[in-house]
Amino acid sequence: RKAKIGDFFTRITLDERLFAIGFCAGNDGTSVASKALPPELVMLFEGAQEALAKAKMHMQHNEIAEKGQMISKAIMIIDHGLKASLDMSAGGDLAIKLQALYDYMVHRLLIANIQSDPEIVNEVHKLLAELYGAWKEIGESGKTQTTKTITV
């Protein structure tokens, strides 16, 4: 059975979701809604998305080794970058859910690599793009409280 993203998330506000990423919240419990996306996270999100785009291109050209390298790169960024940045003590249940989402992404990418399935790569790319877009929206809004709700 293919897991659905809804298995991992309920409806939560954007501010609540991003609060789980502790170093952006300053580990002080303040709202992240007025905080900009740290350059380190920008690099991680963009690096993972770039690796996935290259992996998909290599799939289309049947370049197996290169595909595997790019998927492995994306997995490392997600697992040792994005997931490692979570502050599990400050983020509570939300950090646990984000951790589960990152684990899900890694699992799906392993399957995508074995099956050379570009649709799975697209699925993970979309998830990363939504999280990245949420950060960008927060940085641009400059508000102290975000009430937009996103369902994934």
Side-chain angles (χ1 to χ4, degrees), residues 19-81:
F19 178 78
I21 302 175
F23 73 84
C24 294
N27 293 327
D28 60 2
T30 59
S31 171
V32 296
S34 61
K35 314 240 183 209
L37 180 62
E40 298 85 2
L41 274 183
V42 170
M43 289 174 26
L44 291 172
F45 276 111
E46 290 177 352
Q49 290 176 318
E50 180 181 341
L52 292 177
K54 288 180 180 179
K56 192 171 156 186
M57 179 197 67
H58 292 305
M59 282 180 188
Q60 293 169 343
H61 292 102
N62 203 29
E63 299 167 341
I64 306 303
E66 294 86 352
K67 170 205 70 169
Q69 289 172 341
M70 290 298 105
I71 288 179
S72 293
K73 181 178 179 178
I75 287 171
M76 292 295 289
I77 291 170
I78 293 166
D79 202 38
H80 297 287

Side-chain angles (χ1 to χ4, degrees), residues 12-139:
I12 56 175
T13 66
L14 190 58
D15 195 48
E16 289 171 328
R17 188 174 303 170
L18 295 176
F19 178 78
I21 302 175
F23 73 84
C24 294
N27 293 327
D28 60 2
T30 59
S31 171
V32 296
S34 61
K35 314 240 183 209
L37 180 62
E40 298 85 2
L41 274 183
V42 170
M43 289 174 26
L44 291 172
F45 276 111
E46 290 177 352
Q49 290 176 318
E50 180 181 341
L52 292 177
K54 288 180 180 179
K56 192 171 156 186
M57 179 197 67
H58 292 305
M59 282 180 188
Q60 293 169 343
H61 292 102
N62 203 29
E63 299 167 341
I64 306 303
E66 294 86 352
K67 170 205 70 169
Q69 289 172 341
M70 290 298 105
I71 288 179
S72 293
K73 181 178 179 178
I75 287 171
M76 292 295 289
I77 291 170
I78 293 166
D79 202 38
H80 297 287
L82 295 171
K83 184 173 142 183
S85 73
L86 295 173
D87 185 330
M88 301 307 288
S89 61
D93 187 49
L94 296 171
I96 291 168
K97 289 178 180 181
L98 277 172
Q99 182 181 43
L101 179 61
Y102 291 138
D103 287 340
Y104 173 81
M105 289 180 194
V106 167
H107 176 75
R108 294 296 288 158
L109 289 175
L110 291 171
I111 293 171
N113 194 22
I114 292 167
Q115 297 177 353
S116 287
D117 188 337
E119 289 306 311
I120 297 173
V121 173
N122 286 341
E123 173 190 351
V124 174
H125 189 277
K126 180 181 174 192
L127 292 170
L128 287 169
E130 183 174 345
L131 288 173
Y132 183 50
W135 272 114
K136 287 173 64 177
E137 183 179 320
I138 283 175

